[in-house]
């Protein structure tokens, strides 16, 4: 059986980092993901997907992302239920995050917040970022490397062919 989810979208607010009674970190957040098609008025609608991360992943996500950050999320869908204060059964479906990637430099997210005056971006603005500068960033990368996040390809200006043997290729 397979239960695998991959999402790319923008965080709708800063992750809510909490700790359980035994000290385990848990972060709850929502990712807005644009739909592939436009609605009747020509705008793209977005789905707002609840996510939860645990332990070190939760702490890293809460420390290095914020509202508006473009993130890639890998995990699984989980459904749980509980009884609320009125005695009604409440069902919750969420993505339990195993890994995440920051898909744009922190400076771009900061600039977007300044331009938006800290207001929440509408669903039609979630794809407005120029993706030519995007690079996938793993959560295991030390924070000091984020300053070089948007650097260009070192092979791009040489103009020389790259000599790679077939034995070096992974496929």
């Amino acid at each position: 059986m397979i239960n695998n989810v991959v999402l790319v979208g923008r965080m709708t607010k800063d992750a809510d980092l909490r700790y359980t009674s035994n000290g385990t970190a848990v972060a709850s957040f929502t990712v807005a993901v644009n739909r592939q098609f436009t609605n009747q008025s020509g705008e793209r609608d977005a789905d707002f997907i609840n996510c939860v991360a645990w332990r070190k992943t939760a702490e890293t996500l809460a420390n290095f992302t914020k509202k508006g950050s473009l993130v890639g999320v890998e995990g699984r869908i989980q459904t749980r239920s509980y009884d609320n204060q009125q005695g009604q059964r409440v069902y919750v479906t969420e993505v339990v995050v195993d890994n995440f990637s920051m898909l744009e430099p922190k400076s771009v997210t900061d600039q977007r917040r300044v331009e938006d005056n800290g207001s929440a971006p509408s669903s039609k603005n979630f794809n407005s970022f120029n993706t030519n500068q995007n690079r996938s960033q793993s959560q295991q990368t030390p924070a000091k490397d984020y300053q070089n996040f948007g650097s260009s390809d070192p092979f791009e200006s040489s103009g020389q062919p790259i000599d790679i043997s077939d034995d070096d290729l992974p496929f």
Side-chain angles (χ1 to χ4, degrees):
M1 290 178 242
I2 298 173
N3 181 357
N4 192 25
V5 175
V6 177
L7 302 172
V8 173
R10 296 205 180 271
M11 294 182 60
T12 61
K13 61 182 178 179
D14 293 351
D16 179 23
L17 179 64
R18 293 170 284 133
Y19 291 88
T20 64
S21 59
N22 63 359
T24 304
V26 58
S28 300
F29 60 100
T30 303
V31 176
V33 180
N34 276 351
R35 294 183 180 172
Q36 294 297 317
F37 51 88
T38 58
N39 60 20
Q40 291 178 344
S41 61
E43 296 178 353
R44 290 198 187 274
D45 289 329
D47 292 307
F48 296 87
I49 300 168
N50 295 325
C51 300
V52 62
W54 292 88
R55 298 173 187 79
K56 188 65 176 171
T57 302
E59 292 175 331
T60 305
L61 185 121
N63 289 330
F64 290 102
T65 63
K66 56 184 151 186
K67 175 182 173 181
S69 294
L70 184 65
V71 294
V73 173
E74 298 176 54
R76 60 187 167 83
I77 291 181
Q78 179 174 290
T79 302
R80 59 186 170 87
S81 63
Y82 64 93
D83 293 328
N84 65 12
Q85 293 177 346
Q86 292 78 26
Q88 298 170 322
R89 172 87 35 184
V90 177
Y91 293 93
V92 178
T93 301
E94 58 199 358
V95 174
V96 178
V97 176
D98 294 325
N99 289 308
F100 77 96
S101 296
M102 296 174 9
L103 300 177
E104 68 184 0
K106 184 176 186 262
S107 60
V108 173
T109 302
D110 290 342
Q111 182 62 33
R112 177 178 287 99
R113 289 184 87 173
V114 169
E115 290 172 359
D116 290 343
N117 293 325
S119 62
S122 66
S123 63
K124 64 183 174 184
N125 291 331
F126 281 119
N127 274 345
S128 64
F129 178 73
N130 180 0
T131 59
N132 291 334
Q133 298 179 35
N134 287 352
R135 301 248 194 279
S136 178
Q137 188 69 27
S138 169
Q139 71 184 28
Q140 288 83 17
T141 302
K144 62 181 172 138
D145 290 341
Y146 286 117
Q147 63 193 13
N148 298 326
F149 191 66
S151 62
S152 64
D153 183 357
F155 299 107
E156 126 185 333
S157 63
S158 70
Q160 300 296 322
I162 299 172
D163 185 26
I164 299 175
S165 105
D166 289 343
D167 296 335
D168 294 334
L169 296 175
F171 47 88

